[in-house]
Amino acid sequence: MPLWSFALLLAAGIAIGRRGRLPDRLLALSGRALTVSVYGLIFLIGAGMGAKAGLLGEIGPLALRSVLLALFATLGAALACAGVARLEARRGS
Amino acid sequence: MDPRPLLVLAAGIGAGALGLLPQAWAPGIDAGVQLALAALFVCIGLEVGRDEAFFETLRGLRLSSLLLPAASLIGGTAGGLLGGALLGMPLGLAAATGAGSGYYSLTSILLKEAAGPEAAAVGFFANLLRESAIIAAMPLFVRLFGPKGAVGAAGATAMDTALPFIVSSAGKDVALLSFASGVVLTLVVPFAVPFLYRLFP
């Protein structure tokens, strides 16, 4: 799906939710639909992985790459935000 | 850590490996993924639209309050790129995974759409691990990087899953900032992930 369609769908959902035009029962169902959609998609991602020949044998290396990427991304975000805090403190003092 | 996403993923892997989903269903499954993705975005919008606190936070945002989520996104992306370069991974995947900001469900779904199941698995595991590491080691993050560094490390989860842990380790003063940062990242991640994946060929 193109990027603009994500924006359009998100904006449509926000507008409908904000105006409260939908019946409460239907709106209450959206939380459950969200959970079902997420788990359904995660299941299909898993099914795609399982069906792809050779990918199961790659789980170990994939997990290792994921651990390292998570480490780098988390430290990168923490360092950048600590830098912003230091800059703000220097400007304030 | 909530074990349900991992259990659902494992069930899907089992179903795929055992051939419980016949190959003939593949086009239908692809169409189902598109439909579920569209429904997911509308439902996220509905949840956001109904949440008055969300709009109050957005109204209270100043330009300076966007600095922290921007730094978190840029730092996470840069970290992902550095890790990807060291590991010899495709840089688009590494950048998009880093920009996922702990939002593992959406990141993996968007990467599945853009690049297939292998990329989705990396996006899923890396961002689930980021969320888990933040929750498990929050006091350490606060001590090493300060309250704002810890909020940045939490990424999009700073508004929900990680918020109680941030408050208990860094104090109540940082709660609003943490929530606001998470709100901004939650809105930006759905666009940043596919954009960054395409930006780095």
Side-chain angles (χ1 to χ4, degrees), chain B residues 7-49:
Chain B
L7 290 174
V8 172
L9 184 78
I13 291 174
L18 295 170
L20 297 180
L21 303 174
Q23 204 58 37
W25 292 8
I29 288 175
D30 283 345
V33 168
Q34 296 274 342
L35 202 67
L37 197 56
L40 182 69
F41 270 80
V42 174
C43 289
I44 292 172
L46 282 173
E47 290 295 299
V48 167

Side-chain angles (χ1 to χ4, degrees), chain A residues 38 41-42 45, chain B residues 9 103-114 116-117 119-125 127 193:
Chain A
V38 167
L41 285 164
I42 290 175
I45 288 170
Chain B
L9 184 78
Y103 203 163
Y104 60 86
S105 54
L106 201 60
T107 303
S108 60
I109 290 160
L110 291 168
L111 283 174
K112 156 106 172 63
E113 178 75 6
V122 172
F124 180 88
F125 286 129
N127 281 286
V193 168

Side-chain angles (χ1 to χ4, degrees), chain B residues 72 100-103 130 151-162 178-179 181-187 189:
Chain B
S72 175
S101 304
Y103 203 163
R130 178 167 172 180
V151 168
T157 68
M159 69 175 278
D160 44 38
T161 336
S178 176
F179 185 77
S181 175
V183 164
V184 173
L185 284 169
T186 299
L187 285 175
V189 165

Side-chain angles (χ1 to χ4, degrees), chain A residues 1 18 27 30 46-47 72 88, chain B residues 12 47 50 52 79 113 148:
Chain A
M1 271 202 292
R18 185 92 179 117
L27 279 173
S30 75
F72 276 101
E88 284 176 346
Chain B
E47 290 295 299
R50 291 169 62 203
E52 197 47 48
E113 178 75 6
K148 288 186 175 175

Side-chain angles (χ1 to χ4, degrees), chain A residues 26-55:
Chain A
L26 202 62
L27 279 173
L29 274 178
S30 75
R32 211 172 294 166
L34 183 62
T35 310
V36 171
S37 303
V38 167
Y39 283 126
L41 285 164
I42 290 175
F43 179 84
L44 290 175
I45 288 170
M49 287 169 65
K52 198 171 168 189
L55 192 54

Side-chain angles (χ1 to χ4, degrees), chain A residues 13-89:
Chain A
I14 291 175
I16 295 167
R18 185 92 179 117
R19 289 190 172 205
R21 291 270 166 89
L22 287 179
D24 282 347
R25 261 180 68 188
L26 202 62
L27 279 173
L29 274 178
S30 75
R32 211 172 294 166
L34 183 62
T35 310
V36 171
S37 303
V38 167
Y39 283 126
L41 285 164
I42 290 175
F43 179 84
L44 290 175
I45 288 170
M49 287 169 65
K52 198 171 168 189
L55 192 54
L56 276 186
E58 285 286 310
I59 287 270
L62 271 181
L64 183 66
R65 268 188 273 172
S66 304
V67 169
L68 291 171
L69 269 187
L71 186 74
F72 276 101
T74 310
L75 290 179
L79 282 170
C81 290
V84 165
R86 193 170 287 184
L87 275 177
E88 284 176 346

